[in-house]
Amino acid sequence: MPVSPFASKGRQIPGASRVGFTGPFSHTGPPPSVTKSTRDPRRQPRGQNRCKKEIRDLMAQNTSMEEFEALLNESFDIDTPDEGSVVKGRVLAIEAGQAIIDVGYKMEGRVDLKEFAEPGQTPEINVGDEVEVYLRQVENARGEAVISHEMARREAAWDRLEKAYADENRVDGAIFGRVKGGFTVDLGGAVAFLPGSQVDVRPVRDAGPLMGLKQPFQILKMDRRRGNIVVSRRAILEESRAEQRAEVIANLEEGQAVDGVVKNITEYGAFVDLGGVDGLLHVTDMAWRRVNHPSEIVTIGETIKVQVIKINKETHRISLGMKQLQDDPWDTVEAKFSLGSVHQGRVTNITDYGAFVELEPGVEGLVHVSEMSWTKKNVHPGKIVSTSQEVEVMVLEIDSQKRRVSLGLKQTQRNPWEVFAETHPEGTQVEGEIKNITEFGLFVGLDNDIDGMVHLSDISWDERGEEAIQRFHKGDVVQAVVTETDVEKERISLSMKAMDDSFSDVVGGVSRGAIITVAVTAIEDGGVEVEYEGMKSFIRRSDLSRDRSEQRPERFGVGDKVDVRVTNVDQKSRRLGLSIKAREIAEEKEAVQQYGSSASGASLGDILGAALNRDDD
């Protein structure tokens, strides 16, 4: 028997020892496919190797060994594709949810129909269609080729995606699933990961409308060995928006009025879509009046007319304004609100330093805390007025360049100190409640929320001020006399001791120069204390006698009656000025006038002696 040509090729023929050959190809049974078919006649695989079928036919016809060997050689001359490669095949039939595909090389395989469907779509495949499949295994236990259309798509997709990634080109895909941190995207066979932050330029709350939609993506990262692909939809949108923004900005000019749609509202303003590019409408540029929140002026989705205030070509930022399209109310402020005029306004805002009052829409003035009340000096403005309150104010100052108006609230009312001075002249008796007690006096509440002060020295005639003030407490109602009103300094002086008229009753008939008799009540080093009709006075040492040698307090005794001359009557201090010395001088002067003169040559002793003798007669 000649040597088989297969041996010269160095090939080992699978199953050759089971087809009836002797020598190195001898076998004891049929080929695996035949054996399996004999054991289980119900299994009739459509994709059995046709070469083996022809071998069986030849064996049944007692074909000669030479013909059989030639047929085997023909069979092995056909190069079988390697496992793990992509091959083309034709659909032979569709049954039981699978497509039976002839991949050539006398091999057939089955592929599930779902592998031919795009995400979210139905499969579109018919008998006779030519498709690409991935050869996973040449022959399985059933004698069929193990193939996959999805894996073929994946391999082709990876080749295509690697090229697109290298060229930085966009790729088309569809979002078909949600995973932790993002979404899954089908890129024509390869599955990629789309992070949540890369879905849109702004956070997306509902990605439902994007599911299954064919759209472009940018590959950020890919690793074929690990099967990882990361894509971005946001990069495409930003690039598209950048191009669109550049085009729109190129057609915009500062000062131009355009229409826009409000897209979003924040605390500080609103974002307006100008047709592909967003501009910021700041809250201060929405209206000339004070706006607490942008929602007071605009709503989301509303179409508004705005003016382009400023364009930053580098950052593509656009500042917009609405009030710039309206008349500026400050142009007529000086004409409408003259200095000194009184107007009705509404309190719009209260701060620590005052309150803002709206005179008309867009025109606000400040009432400083010092101009809010005549009497409430150190009080927070919120305790005098409240927000939205209607008040009357007077225009004090206008600065149109700085857009400032100074207003006064207290100026709309009369100065209470002026009113008090007119209605309570000096000497008027008043009554009030003690509001505060200090170390220097008492503060008594008067009409129109003003206070008057009783100084320590004006509390009592008989007691020292420090002692007298101890008898009073907050809330006590007292009476006093108005002694002085200073409108400019906003001060009112009161006296409680002036309420006591006993001094006037006592000294009503006593005048300066009169001679009265007093009783000595106390002897002191500096003089003597005397009393006249219950009123005490003090005679100083120098006033005790005309002669210096007689100016000794000890020469007097308590209870002594002494004639003195009245040198002063002080109603305010309730004091009488008394002097023995002044009496003696006055008497001497009178004696000289009556009995002689210095020119007559008579001595003072002679004159006084004559006067005394006359008195004796």
Side-chain angles (χ1 to χ4, degrees):
M1 182 176 180
V3 178
S4 172
F6 301 109
S8 62
K9 293 184 180 181
R11 294 184 180 181
Q12 182 179 356
I13 306 173
S17 61
R18 298 194 293 270
V19 293
F21 295 116
T22 59
F25 301 102
S26 61
H27 74 295
T28 59
S33 59
V34 177
T35 304
K36 291 179 182 179
S37 178
T38 305
R39 288 198 303 266
D40 190 359
R42 293 174 298 175
R43 299 180 64 183
Q44 298 295 333
R46 184 186 298 269
Q48 288 182 343
N49 192 300
R50 297 181 181 179
C51 180
K52 294 181 179 180
K53 183 175 181 298
E54 293 177 1
I55 291 174
R56 290 197 302 272
D57 292 342
L58 289 174
M59 292 177 63
Q61 299 174 7
N62 295 323
T63 306
S64 65
M65 182 60 66
E66 289 77 5
E67 292 178 349
F68 183 67
E69 185 174 350
L71 184 60
L72 284 176
N73 287 336
E74 181 183 353
S75 143
F76 285 112
D77 285 340
I78 301 174
D79 291 334
T80 303
D82 297 331
E83 293 180 352
S85 61
V86 177
V87 297
K88 291 185 178 181
R90 186 176 300 278
V91 179
L92 298 178
I94 297 176
E95 59 182 32
Q98 293 182 320
I100 302 173
I101 301 174
D102 178 9
V103 296
Y105 314 105
K106 301 181 180 180
M107 294 185 297
E108 296 175 0
R110 296 173 181 268
V111 179
D112 291 337
L113 293 181
K114 64 181 180 180
E115 294 190 20
F116 296 94
E118 296 290 337
Q121 300 180 6
T122 57
E124 295 182 1
I125 187 170
N126 300 304
V127 175
D129 289 350
E130 188 177 81
V131 296
E132 288 187 342
V133 293
Y134 181 83
L135 182 61
R136 299 175 59 187
Q137 188 177 348
V138 173
E139 183 179 10
N140 61 8
R142 297 171 58 184
E144 297 178 343
V146 181
I147 56 179
S148 171
H149 178 64
E150 183 177 351
M151 295 182 67
R153 290 178 64 241
R154 185 179 304 144
E155 289 297 316
W158 272 96
D159 293 339
R160 174 173 51 83
L161 294 175
E162 283 183 336
K163 186 176 184 305
Y165 180 60
D167 297 339
E168 297 182 355
N169 293 330
R170 302 176 180 180
V171 295
D172 292 332
I175 302 173
F176 68 91
R178 183 187 295 271
V179 295
K180 183 178 180 181
F183 303 88
T184 51
V185 181
D186 180 17
L187 300 178
V191 177
F193 173 64
L194 173 64
S197 60
Q198 297 296 324
V199 176
D200 206 330
V201 291
R202 292 188 177 92
V204 177
R205 296 182 179 179
D206 182 17
L210 300 177
M211 290 292 185
L213 183 65
K214 204 80 171 180
Q215 53 191 318
F217 294 89
Q218 186 74 40
I219 301 176
L220 301 180
K221 181 181 178 181
M222 67 182 303
D223 188 339
R224 187 163 188 168
R225 183 175 62 85
R226 297 183 178 180
N228 293 335
I229 304 177
V230 180
V231 295
S232 171
R233 178 175 176 268
R234 175 178 178 175
I236 302 297
L237 296 177
E238 289 180 342
E239 183 179 348
S240 176
R241 285 169 61 88
E243 296 175 356
Q244 190 177 13
R245 185 184 297 112
E247 181 179 355
V248 173
I249 290 178
N251 297 325
L252 292 177
E253 296 179 359
E254 294 183 0
Q256 180 182 357
V258 294
D259 292 330
V261 179
V262 180
K263 291 183 60 178
N264 190 25
I265 295 177
T266 66
E267 293 290 335
Y268 53 86
F271 288 94
V272 181
D273 184 5
L274 303 179
V277 60
D278 291 348
L280 175 62
L281 174 61
H282 199 270
V283 64
T284 57
D285 290 313
M286 289 185 171
W288 290 108
R289 66 178 180 86
R290 180 185 296 272
V291 179
N292 295 321
H293 194 274
S295 58
E296 298 177 7
I297 306 296
V298 297
T299 57
I300 295 178
E302 179 185 2
T303 300
I304 58 175
K305 184 173 286 295
V306 292
Q307 184 182 76
V308 179
I309 299 176
K310 187 177 180 181
I311 301 176
N312 190 322
K313 299 291 185 180
E314 297 180 357
T315 61
H316 289 180
R317 291 183 178 178
I318 303 175
S319 298
L320 306 174
M322 287 180 65
K323 71 180 184 182
Q324 285 76 7
L325 299 176
Q326 306 169 2
D327 293 335
D328 188 351
W330 282 90
D331 294 339
T332 59
V333 164
E334 293 186 1
K336 288 184 178 180
F337 307 100
S338 58
L339 297 181
S341 59
V342 178
H343 303 272
Q344 192 82 9
R346 181 177 63 87
V347 179
T348 58
N349 191 27
I350 297 176
T351 66
D352 292 337
Y353 52 85
F356 288 91
V357 177
E358 184 182 57
L359 299 177
E360 68 173 11
V363 178
E364 283 186 349
L366 172 65
V367 181
H368 194 267
V369 63
S370 62
E371 306 294 345
M372 302 195 78
S373 174
W374 289 107
T375 57
K376 298 175 181 178
K377 300 299 183 182
N378 299 317
V379 179
H380 190 275
K383 294 185 178 181
I384 300 176
V385 295
S386 58
T387 305
S388 300
Q389 179 183 349
E390 296 289 335
V391 294
E392 275 193 348
V393 291
M394 178 181 288
V395 179
L396 305 180
E397 184 182 353
I398 297 177
D399 190 337
S400 298
Q401 293 184 349
K402 295 182 179 180
R403 307 173 78 91
R404 293 177 181 175
V405 177
S406 298
L407 303 174
L409 187 64
K410 69 181 184 181
Q411 285 78 3
T412 59
Q413 304 170 356
R414 287 198 64 191
N415 187 336
W417 278 272
E418 290 181 355
V419 176
F420 186 87
E422 294 175 3
T423 57
H424 299 79
E426 293 182 8
T428 305
Q429 294 185 8
V430 294
E431 183 178 86
E433 180 182 329
I434 296 178
K435 299 294 185 181
N436 193 20
I437 300 176
T438 67
E439 60 183 6
F440 49 83
L442 305 174
F443 284 91
V444 180
L446 303 174
D447 297 338
N448 298 322
D449 293 330
I450 60 177
D451 294 341
M453 190 189 77
V454 181
H455 195 267
L456 287 177
S457 60
D458 289 313
I459 296 178
S460 174
W461 291 109
D462 302 323
E463 297 178 278
R464 295 175 59 238
E466 292 79 1
E467 297 174 356
I469 200 172
Q470 301 297 327
R471 296 187 286 106
F472 298 96
H473 304 86
K474 266 189 180 182
D476 291 350
V477 177
V478 297
Q479 292 182 338
V481 174
V482 178
T483 58
E484 184 184 3
T485 301
D486 191 331
V487 176
E488 292 185 0
K489 295 182 179 180
E490 298 181 349
R491 293 177 182 175
I492 298 175
S493 299
L494 304 175
S495 174
M496 293 173 63
K497 69 182 184 181
M499 295 292 297
D500 185 1
D501 292 333
S502 59
F503 180 77
S504 298
D505 296 338
V506 172
V507 301
V510 177
S511 60
R512 184 177 180 182
I515 304 298
I516 60 175
T517 302
V518 297
V520 178
T521 57
I523 307 299
E524 298 181 7
D525 292 339
V528 295
E529 185 184 68
V530 298
E531 184 180 87
Y532 175 73
E533 298 294 337
M535 303 298 297
K536 292 184 178 181
S537 296
F538 189 79
I539 303 175
R540 296 176 298 175
R541 176 189 287 267
S542 59
D543 288 318
L544 291 179
S545 177
R546 180 175 179 273
D547 297 332
R548 184 178 294 273
S549 61
E550 296 297 323
Q551 295 177 353
R552 294 177 289 106
E554 58 271 16
R555 71 187 183 90
F556 297 93
V558 176
D560 290 352
K561 301 293 184 179
V562 181
D563 291 337
V564 295
R565 181 184 177 90
V566 178
T567 58
N568 185 33
V569 179
D570 191 344
Q571 295 281 352
K572 196 170 185 180
S573 62
R574 288 173 59 107
R575 295 284 181 182
L576 288 176
L578 304 177
S579 174
I580 299 174
K581 175 181 178 180
R583 175 185 62 81
E584 293 176 345
I585 293 175
E587 290 177 348
E588 179 183 345
K589 183 176 181 181
E590 182 181 356
V592 170
Q593 290 177 351
Q594 291 183 7
Y595 299 103
S597 65
S598 57
S600 65
S603 65
L604 180 60
D606 295 336
I607 296 173
L608 289 178
L612 291 176
N613 291 332
R614 183 176 180 182
D615 291 339
D616 292 339
D617 293 340

